[in-house]
Amino acid sequence: MVQDMWDAGVDESILDDVVRLDAADPSGMLPQVASSARQVRESAALAREVGVDSLAADGRPRAVLVAGTGTSAAVGDALAAVAGSRCPVPVLGHNGFGLPGWVGVTDVVIAISGSGRDEAALSALEEADRRGCRTVAVGLPDSPLAHRAGRARALFLPAPVADGRPTRAGFWALLLPAVAVVRALGLLPSAAEGPEAVEAAAVRLEDLAVRCRPASETFISPAKVLALELAGSLPLLWGTTALTAAAASRAAGQLAANAGYPALLGTLPDSASLQAGVLDGPFGVRGADGGPAEDFFRDRVDDGAEPVRLRLVLLRDQAAEHPTVTRQAEAAVTAAAERAVAVTELSAQGASRLERLASLVGLFDYTSVYLALALGVDPTPVAAARDLSAPPTPAVRET
């Protein structure tokens, strides 16, 4: 099915036709992506209004655990990246049910659910209440999560996520309350990660919204250019730091959910040894010049069709890269070029970790939607996610 898309050709012309883009996006995923800056500002303001700073009264926790699935799990990875390696306590994600055995009264649990009905977040909240943990809930107001937070006397931080919209479209609305929590707990010691970082991230996302707006011509829109670079390839997304690894993970999830498009995911330095073999495999050097990879695809498509080739996408953060990782990234570019594997390098931009995260996540959010529209895919519904869900219950697992 995917190869048939390449045979038919990607519709590049739609990217320069605002009317067609609007018609192909009936649920308005592009406008939802464009709301990212507003989500940052609104969710940060709401967290202050409901008294997130009161969390400081009980002192520093032993650890912070972020519980939830789907987009909420991505928020946990992003929060750990924003906290950084110098954070005085561990900031960890948990996408299972209940809580790990080590979590206790000295820990803070943040249960996150954009819909307010995620089973994992609800079970974590209940278990945290039983164990006497300090608990914060982030999600949709007037939802099961909000009601259970009230019964548990947990701090509830409302997230401005539109009810009925995909949770993945509210990433920033869920992340900023969590960032406000770790800041209130005194776990963001760097001056660069202060409140001004929130506004800087919003400005960065606004800039992307202007540059990536539907009316921008393809050759000047970084998201449209990247979408066309990825189309027809198998992306290998490698991050070079914890922050860019979190951005790469979010990117892979968005490509899958919005465009139905697969990507391989890795982080240097591990991927330099664990995944390097793909460069020499059927999607890499063996796929060039009509070698063995041509036979690999011949039983799937008619002769003459272009095989799917690997594209190495490096997400870099030179401000935080270890020198060894920098050398590995440079070696990866050289090795890919020697194998005729295309390479895209993207650098995080900004003074704070939050702003640098925004520069990459925002770009890929737009890219995933434009890739979907160029492939003739409606970026909003994910029928397979419904098919893979458990039988209907009052709670759901989020995408």
Side-chain angles (χ1 to χ4, degrees):
M1 177 64 179
V2 173
Q3 189 67 51
D4 289 341
M5 288 184 182
W6 313 148
D7 294 344
V10 176
D11 185 2
E12 298 184 23
S13 64
I14 191 175
L15 298 182
D16 285 320
D17 190 326
V18 176
V19 174
R20 291 177 62 202
L21 284 173
D22 184 64
D25 184 21
S27 297
M29 184 60 80
L30 278 173
Q32 291 181 53
V33 174
S35 75
S36 296
R38 185 177 74 246
Q39 291 180 34
V40 167
R41 293 189 176 105
E42 288 183 357
S43 54
L46 283 171
R48 291 192 300 270
E49 289 174 8
V50 301
V52 68
D53 290 339
S54 65
L55 292 170
D58 292 324
R60 178 183 294 174
R62 180 183 62 169
V64 176
L65 188 78
V66 182
T69 60
T71 298
S72 300
V75 166
D77 293 339
L79 181 64
V82 170
S85 60
R86 295 187 179 181
C87 182
V89 307
V91 178
L92 306 169
H94 176 64
N95 60 1
F97 296 90
L99 293 175
W102 58 264
V103 177
V105 294
T106 58
D107 303 309
V108 168
V109 174
I110 308 176
I112 300 181
S113 171
S115 69
R117 298 184 295 116
D118 176 44
E119 291 177 296
L122 290 168
S123 67
L125 177 59
E126 291 178 347
E127 185 63 23
D129 183 34
R130 282 195 291 269
R131 297 189 193 182
C133 305
R134 276 192 280 171
T135 309
V136 180
V138 178
L140 192 70
D142 195 24
S143 66
L145 184 71
H147 298 157
R148 293 191 193 185
R151 292 201 300 269
R153 287 180 289 187
L155 178 65
F156 181 76
L157 302 181
V161 178
D163 193 11
R165 298 297 187 184
T167 303
R168 63 184 184 276
F171 175 82
W172 297 103
L174 299 175
L175 175 60
L176 266 294
V179 171
V181 169
V182 295
R183 181 178 292 115
L185 292 169
L187 303 181
L188 296 179
S190 171
E193 303 303 326
E196 66 278 2
V198 172
E199 179 59 23
V203 170
R204 180 71 59 177
L205 291 168
E206 282 179 333
D207 177 66
L208 279 169
V210 172
R211 296 166 61 205
C212 300
R213 67 190 185 278
S216 291
E217 295 181 89
T218 295
F219 70 93
I220 62 172
S221 167
K224 293 179 181 181
V225 169
L226 182 56
L228 293 179
E229 287 180 351
L230 297 182
S233 71
L234 176 60
L236 175 59
L237 305 177
W238 279 359
T240 59
T241 64
L243 185 145
T244 57
S249 180
R250 164 70 175 177
Q254 287 293 85
L255 289 171
N258 288 338
Y261 204 92
L264 303 178
L265 190 62
T267 307
L268 295 177
D270 283 351
S271 295
S273 57
L274 297 177
Q275 293 184 331
V278 298
L279 295 173
D280 291 324
F283 296 94
V285 66
R286 290 176 58 209
D289 302 325
E294 187 177 344
D295 294 331
F296 180 85
F297 286 102
R298 185 166 290 144
D299 63 347
R300 293 168 170 79
V301 297
D302 295 334
D303 287 347
E306 288 294 323
V308 176
R309 294 296 314 283
L310 200 68
R311 174 177 282 272
L312 176 61
V313 182
L314 282 172
L315 283 71
R316 306 193 58 179
D317 185 3
Q318 284 91 339
E321 283 180 9
H322 189 280
T324 297
V325 172
T326 297
R327 291 192 295 270
Q328 286 180 332
E330 293 168 352
V333 172
T334 300
E338 291 173 348
R339 291 158 174 80
V341 171
V343 178
T344 297
E345 287 192 77
L346 303 170
S347 295
Q349 304 292 321
S352 69
R353 288 188 291 273
L354 184 62
E355 183 183 358
R356 297 202 299 276
L357 180 73
S359 71
L360 293 174
V361 169
L363 173 61
F364 270 99
D365 282 357
Y366 275 105
T367 296
S368 64
V369 178
Y370 283 127
L371 179 57
L373 299 177
L375 296 176
V377 175
D378 185 342
T380 300
V382 184
R386 294 192 297 269
D387 294 341
L388 294 176
S389 297
T393 64
V396 298
R397 194 170 172 85
E398 295 184 347
T399 58

